Amino acid sequence: MLSRARISTTTTFEPEHVIQPIYTGGDVALAKSDHLLATCLGEEAVITDLRTGALLARVEADGEVLTALAITPNASHLILCSRSLSMQIHTLIISEDGESSVRASLLKTLKPHVTPVVTIEIDKTGTLVATGSADGVIKIWDIRRAYPTHTFRGHNGVISALHFFESVETEPDLPASGSGKKKTHHKSSKSQDDVIIDEATNGNSTTTSFRLASGGEDGQIRIWDLAKRKSIATLDSHVSVVRGLQFSPKANQIISASRDKTVMVWDMKSWKAVKVVPVLEVIEAVGFVRDGTFFYTGGENGKLRIWETQSGREITQEQLAGGEADGIVHILHHSNLNFILSIHADQSLIFHSIDPLSNPDTSKSSLEPLPVLRRISGTHDEIIDLTYVTPERALLALATNSESLRLVSLSTAANNVSSNTASNFGADVALLEGHEDIIICLDVDWSGCWLATGAKDNTARLWRIDHAQNSFQHFATFTGHAESIGAIALPDNPPPLGSAAYSNPLGHAPSFLLTGSQDRTVKKWEIAKAHSSNVDMTTPRAIFTRKAHDKDINAISVNHNSNLFASASQDRTVKIWSVEEGEVQGVLRGHRRGVWSVKFAPKDAPPLIGDNGPASTSRGLILTSSGDKTVKIWSLTDYSCLRTLEGHTNSVLKALWMPLHSATAIASAPPSSTKNTLQIASAGGDGLVKIWNANTGEIAATLDNHTDRIWALTVNPTTNTLVSGGGDSIVTFWKDTTSATVAASAADSTVRVEQEQQLQNHIHRGNYRDAITLALQLNHPARLLALLQGVVDRQPPEPGSLSGVRAVDEVLASLSDTQLLLLMSRVRDWNTNARTAVVAQRVLAVVVRSYSAERLAGIKGRGWKDVLAALAAYTERHYNRMESLVDESYVVDFTLREMEATGFVGDGEGMEVS
């Protein structure tokens, strides 16, 4: 059985889930399978599974920012274009186990244009891709063969929109001439609507033409015939950049949208605009829905609007215009999908259901805006603070350098994107809006139903979280601070078991709220009672205000029975206050820089032995972290520092106590301990999370998954899962794997003991094959050396054996590449010592004579070349030493002969030489 001391070295956490950026601006593409989404993430592309939220692949381009991206309808290829003027075609290989991963393989790198590609479009078959550049040139490429098929010129300026379509034409049946039929064509002049007709046909025969529509910043729309390799029409009615084009086969019409705030519907027979719709906003995307019955628009107002194609009337109700960050930059929709995906300027992706368009209520003059199925944040920006909410801890609240608070789902179940209940891991569940400036701090009560936020708008807000009813209501606003609120706290102690407040926390708001501000004051606020049927929105009042510190207040914490609270400040002090009177009870001094975090110990925290011996902790403990790179544990009995934890290389921005029942605490408890050991987690500007043993002050584990400072840290009290978030926009969920690691270590140790006994048995029985193989597997170089030494020293050696035993020769001649690499690594080490060089040379001789030079040269393994180089160098040294000994032996022979000649060696009386 393993000792506790050994188990204490196996404290482990592993990233279980990671919420990370998937989109930071640029193109977005959606495969027709409805759940594979390709997005631009700076210099690389990301492929995400929309059912689970899992990141399936990262595809690196050439190190430059991507300017355009497209994915084929069946997700077989991904095309990337970057600022370096290159275009990469990648083949996508989807894993056979249900698309749990995607592997991208570079097929070809091309230079399509002399200026960057800004627009890209793939046809519905997935065989052709069109690229439009800033110089007005359009090229069409064969995707699989990676070569250009067409080049079109005609636009003046940037190509802003492309769309492949198939047009069905009718032609008259004319008398046969020979074996074929003659077709007639005529050209009409430019019409009064500024439509230039290059060719038109009429008749009865049906033909399908493959065409490409293009729009540019010159306001023109050109129709290109791929078979004839030229423009067949120029539609010149827009007066600004054309941003969207789409064709409706059923209506045989094409729709266009421009930044001139108009949408036009064009007839493909007459090439005339049959409908001009003034949208009254700058449009960035347009497309048909429900076989051309409706069309959608999206633009600067940030609202998805639905219009009736025939009448040009907007059927969605009027919506309030959003801000600049809400503007729609792209819209994606396929005819087989039951949703529309809108991409916004704030990098958010919103899925809208189009079910209301299937059977619209004709009794109503307008429809409500399309219901939102799901909202995904492409990037959360800088994570300033986070906390679990809801009683089941099913949601995570994120303060993301924004005035809006995000609630994201922690559900791990896969969902259909079109489902009304779709909510995969990391998807936005709600966006709580109300603050007018960036939210800085968060806190949640014992139940997870009440969430408090503090912001730079000098106000705090209290939110009522009812996840079961999908209700997230603003309850109260706390106004009174003169500057930003940087610290906030709610009471954390649960009410008596069986009480109404315990059984119905949604109907009973916390009794008070504490806030700390850059105005250097702390305030205690009274909270009105909440009722589930009628939420009280009365503005609360401050019970007391205290001038607390000389500099900004960074953190506030309330103890387990809500009679004390602590405030931490940039003035390098922490003050302990009474909750009832607001009077200072004690001051903690000792940090050399500003204090960033403060946290009271849990209710049942065991006693702690400080650096200077046993200390009184009857009133509890408190934890602080500071810009001086340290974490300190203090006694509330005499306000003395019990222990200082050093290990971070930058400011420690957050520190908290781990749950007492955690597997980590149990694993790291000393053998004599009968209670759980206190554990601490800290996060800092060095991008690391550290787990500490509070009793010894030693680091139990260091967790690394961030590339920037970590501002936020919280822990799930039930599962012991740590959650960290920082300036790199990444949220990491750290699963406590200590129990599993301890169990695996115990199992491995048991197996190793059994294998060592088997090795001894094989050696004793002379079973060389199994003994050598097992010694290599167990990585026992000493046992292996002793075994081979016995073989080499065997007298007499077996006839015909190179090593001394034929069975050993057979074993050494039948090793795998991995075993051979390991054996030769040991031979290299033995060959450096003169005492073991004989064994090394004997084994080397067997290997060299048993394997061909091609086999030895073809071994793939780390360090193989270094092993061969070392063997060659020391073998040459041994041979040089042997040659030197042979030369010296001649001198000895000569000396002996001369001694005999001079009479120093007589008959039987001289020196005896062996």
Side-chain angles (χ1 to χ4, degrees):
M1 182 175 178
L2 292 177
S3 67
R4 285 295 187 108
R6 183 171 182 178
I7 295 177
S8 65
T9 63
T10 58
T11 300
T12 56
F13 280 78
E14 296 293 337
E16 183 181 21
H17 300 286
V18 178
I19 300 175
Q20 53 191 319
I22 62 170
Y23 175 64
T24 54
D27 264 351
V28 177
L30 181 66
K32 282 195 173 181
S33 60
D34 92 359
H35 60 267
L36 288 183
L37 181 73
T39 53
C40 292
L41 187 62
E43 301 169 358
E44 59 186 4
V46 171
I47 300 177
T48 306
D49 188 339
L50 294 177
R51 298 171 303 180
T52 62
L55 194 153
L56 301 181
R58 285 179 176 268
V59 184
E60 295 184 1
D62 54 6
E64 293 288 337
V65 175
L66 296 180
T67 59
L69 167 150
I71 190 170
T72 55
N74 61 352
S76 62
H77 293 82
L78 178 70
I79 294 92
L80 307 177
C81 300
S82 71
R83 284 184 182 175
S84 65
L85 309 183
S86 72
M87 179 174 74
Q88 293 185 347
I89 302 176
H90 295 264
T91 301
L92 301 180
I93 302 173
I94 302 174
S95 62
E96 298 178 357
D97 56 345
E99 302 181 4
S100 61
S101 65
V102 174
R103 182 168 60 88
S105 175
L106 180 61
L107 177 65
K108 190 77 173 179
T109 299
L110 306 166
K111 186 178 180 180
H113 298 270
V114 296
T115 58
V117 174
V118 293
T119 309
I120 191 168
E121 176 76 6
I122 295 179
D123 77 325
K124 67 178 184 179
T125 65
T127 57
L128 298 177
V129 58
T131 57
S133 70
D135 60 2
V137 177
I138 301 169
K139 291 187 178 182
I140 300 178
W141 307 78
D142 185 297
I143 294 177
R144 290 173 175 80
R145 299 179 181 178
Y147 70 88
T149 60
H150 301 74
T151 300
F152 297 133
R153 293 179 173 86
H155 284 284
N156 296 320
V158 177
I159 304 298
S160 55
L162 293 170
H163 180 66
F164 282 103
F165 66 97
E166 297 178 12
S167 178
V168 179
E169 300 177 344
T170 56
E171 296 183 356
D173 292 333
L174 300 177
S177 175
S179 60
K181 295 183 179 180
K182 184 178 180 180
K183 300 180 181 179
T184 62
H185 304 278
H186 68 273
K187 181 185 293 185
S188 63
S189 61
K190 185 176 180 180
S191 71
Q192 60 183 3
D193 294 325
D194 293 330
V195 180
I196 301 174
I197 307 299
D198 299 318
E199 283 192 34
T201 60
N202 297 290
N204 301 318
S205 298
T206 300
T207 60
T208 301
S209 300
F210 295 93
R211 293 173 175 174
L212 175 69
S214 63
E217 67 175 356
D218 54 6
Q220 291 186 346
I221 301 170
R222 290 181 177 268
I223 310 298
W224 310 89
D225 191 303
L226 302 190
K228 299 174 182 178
R229 297 178 177 272
K230 63 179 180 179
S231 171
I232 59 173
T234 300
L235 316 180
D236 193 5
S237 289
H238 285 294
V239 295
S240 186
V241 180
V242 178
R243 289 294 296 135
L245 293 168
Q246 197 171 60
F247 176 73
S248 171
K250 186 174 182 179
N252 198 29
Q253 295 175 334
I254 195 167
I255 191 170
S256 64
S258 169
R259 288 179 179 168
D260 62 8
K261 303 183 180 182
T262 64
V263 171
M264 294 188 179
V265 180
W266 306 83
D267 180 71
M268 290 294 96
K269 292 182 179 179
S270 63
W271 305 112
K272 293 183 178 181
V274 297
K275 184 71 64 179
V276 178
V277 181
V279 181
L280 305 180
E281 70 167 317
V282 174
I283 301 299
E284 296 294 332
V286 69
F288 286 112
V289 188
R290 298 300 186 201
D291 295 328
T293 305
F294 307 100
F295 68 85
Y296 59 79
T297 61
E300 62 178 352
N301 291 341
K303 304 299 179 182
L304 181 67
R305 303 165 69 184
I306 305 298
W307 307 73
E308 197 175 59
T309 305
Q310 186 174 0
S311 64
R313 178 180 65 91
E314 182 180 4
I315 64 172
T316 48
Q317 297 175 359
E318 185 177 355
Q319 306 170 68
L320 294 176
E324 183 179 352
D326 299 321
I328 294 177
V329 294
H330 298 288
I331 295 180
L332 300 178
H333 174 65
H334 297 309
S335 59
N336 65 311
L337 303 182
N338 204 34
F339 63 85
I340 296 174
L341 173 60
S342 61
I343 299 93
H344 298 252
D346 62 356
Q347 290 91 46
S348 62
L349 292 78
I350 303 178
F351 296 80
H352 308 262
S353 172
I354 60 173
D355 287 341
L357 301 180
S358 300
N359 297 297
D361 189 352
T362 56
S363 63
K364 297 181 179 179
S365 59
S366 60
L367 296 176
E368 294 183 358
L370 296 184
V372 174
L373 295 173
R374 182 183 300 181
R375 180 190 297 266
I376 297 176
S377 295
T379 176
H380 286 300
D381 203 351
E382 192 168 6
I383 308 296
I384 299 176
D385 203 358
L386 52 79
T387 186
Y388 280 100
V389 292
T390 77
E392 302 80 15
R393 304 301 189 259
L395 302 178
L396 189 72
L398 298 177
T400 59
N401 202 24
S402 166
E403 63 273 9
S404 301
L405 182 71
R406 298 184 186 274
L407 298 182
V408 300
S409 170
L410 302 184
S411 170
T412 56
N415 292 281
N416 188 326
V417 179
S418 300
S419 170
N420 289 328
T421 60
S423 183
N424 59 278
F425 193 94
D428 289 5
V429 174
L431 195 66
L432 307 186
E433 298 178 319
H435 283 290
E436 298 177 356
D437 208 334
I438 295 173
I439 298 173
I440 302 176
C441 52
L442 307 174
D443 196 30
V444 67
D445 75 331
W446 68 274
S447 67
C449 297
W450 296 92
L451 177 67
T453 57
K456 284 188 175 181
D457 60 5
N458 306 345
T459 67
R461 288 176 178 258
L462 185 64
W463 309 84
R464 183 175 180 270
I465 310 297
D466 187 358
H467 187 210
Q469 301 299 324
N470 200 32
S471 172
F472 310 98
Q473 294 179 302
H474 168 245
F475 179 72
T477 301
F478 305 86
T479 305
H481 282 289
E483 294 189 43
S484 302
I485 296 178
I488 198 165
L490 289 169
D492 197 30
N493 59 318
L497 187 64
S499 64
Y502 187 89
S503 58
N504 181 25
L506 285 169
H508 298 79
S511 57
F512 64 89
L513 174 72
L514 293 168
T515 57
S517 169
Q518 288 184 1
D519 63 11
R520 306 170 189 177
T521 65
V522 294
K523 290 178 181 286
K524 178 184 176 183
W525 304 84
E526 180 185 37
I527 301 177
K529 301 299 180 183
H531 302 283
S532 58
S533 60
N534 182 22
V535 177
D536 190 350
M537 303 296 290
T538 304
T539 302
R541 66 180 183 86
I543 299 175
F544 62 73
T545 301
R546 299 288 184 267
K547 172 68 168 61
H549 292 274
D550 296 330
K551 291 185 179 180
D552 299 353
I553 299 173
N554 294 326
I556 289 180
S557 176
V558 182
N559 73 341
H560 60 83
N561 54 14
S562 298
N563 62 357
L564 295 176
F565 75 91
S567 60
S569 170
Q570 284 296 110
D571 65 6
R572 299 178 292 180
T573 66
V574 175
K575 291 186 179 181
I576 311 299
W577 306 77
S578 65
V579 172
E580 192 64 28
E581 299 85 9
E583 300 297 333
V584 176
Q585 306 296 303
V587 180
L588 310 181
R589 292 184 175 89
H591 282 294
R592 298 186 301 275
R593 293 200 176 180
V595 183
W596 282 104
S597 175
V598 61
K599 210 72 175 177
F600 283 95
K603 178 180 179 181
D604 300 323
L608 180 69
I609 299 177
D611 291 333
N612 299 320
S616 174
T617 59
S618 58
R619 295 187 60 189
L621 302 171
I622 193 167
L623 179 71
T624 61
S625 66
S626 167
D628 61 10
K629 309 176 188 178
T630 66
V631 177
K632 289 181 180 289
I633 304 173
W634 309 77
S635 169
L636 290 176
T637 302
D638 56 4
Y639 305 110
S640 62
C641 179
L642 301 181
R643 175 160 286 115
T644 299
L645 310 179
E646 297 179 322
H648 282 283
T649 58
N650 209 322
S651 301
V652 185
L653 304 174
K654 207 80 170 182
L656 53 82
W657 303 91
M658 297 293 292
L660 291 174
H661 57 78
S662 70
T664 302
I666 296 172
S668 59
S672 59
S673 175
T674 58
K675 295 186 178 181
N676 293 349
T677 299
L678 279 174
Q679 291 284 318
I680 293 168
S682 62
D686 52 10
L688 301 176
V689 177
K690 292 183 180 290
I691 310 298
W692 306 80
N693 184 322
N695 280 353
T696 63
E698 296 177 352
I699 298 175
T702 298
L703 317 180
D704 185 5
N705 193 49
H706 291 271
T707 58
D708 203 344
R709 64 182 59 199
I710 300 174
W711 287 106
L713 189 68
T714 190
V715 64
N716 188 315
T718 304
T719 64
N720 201 45
T721 298
L722 270 173
V723 186
S724 57
D728 54 5
S729 306
I730 292 176
V731 179
T732 305
F733 294 77
W734 301 95
K735 181 181 179 181
D736 187 353
T737 58
T738 301
S739 297
T741 303
V742 170
S745 299
D748 291 344
S749 297
T750 302
V751 172
R752 192 173 186 84
V753 169
E754 294 175 353
Q755 290 178 334
E756 289 178 352
Q757 184 59 50
Q758 291 176 3
L759 177 60
Q760 292 291 347
N761 295 339
H762 291 321
I763 295 175
H764 181 71
R765 296 169 185 169
N767 188 352
Y768 294 110
R769 173 179 294 277
D770 293 336
I772 293 175
T773 302
L774 193 54
L776 289 172
Q777 178 183 343
L778 294 176
N779 195 20
H780 277 333
R783 298 273 181 86
L784 184 61
L785 176 60
L787 174 63
L788 295 175
Q789 185 74 57
V791 172
V792 171
D793 294 342
R794 179 170 177 170
Q795 294 296 333
E798 293 183 3
S801 172
L802 296 174
S803 64
V805 178
R806 285 195 296 272
V808 174
D809 292 352
E810 295 174 0
V811 174
L812 297 181
S814 59
L815 298 176
S816 66
D817 286 357
T818 302
Q819 293 173 329
L820 197 57
L821 174 58
L822 185 57
L823 174 64
M824 296 303 286
S825 298
R826 300 307 173 199
V827 170
R828 173 199 59 188
D829 298 337
W830 301 336
N831 199 40
T832 60
N833 193 320
R835 289 179 295 180
T836 56
V838 175
V839 176
Q841 289 297 317
R842 191 72 65 88
V843 174
L844 183 59
V846 175
V847 171
V848 171
R849 297 184 185 184
S850 301
Y851 298 94
S852 64
E854 292 78 8
R855 168 73 186 280
L856 294 176
I859 292 178
K860 304 295 184 183
R862 185 176 181 181
W864 176 243
K865 293 183 178 180
D866 295 336
V867 170
L868 294 180
L871 283 171
Y874 277 92
T875 299
E876 183 178 1
R877 182 180 300 181
H878 291 317
Y879 275 106
N880 291 337
R881 181 168 55 85
M882 293 174 62
E883 291 178 359
S884 177
L885 289 174
V886 171
D887 292 341
E888 292 175 359
S889 68
Y890 289 115
V891 176
V892 174
D893 290 341
F894 172 77
T895 302
L896 290 175
R897 286 195 300 271
E898 290 298 319
M899 291 174 66
E900 290 176 355
T902 56
F904 282 103
V905 181
D907 296 348
E909 298 179 357
M911 63 193 313
E912 190 172 311
V913 179
S914 59

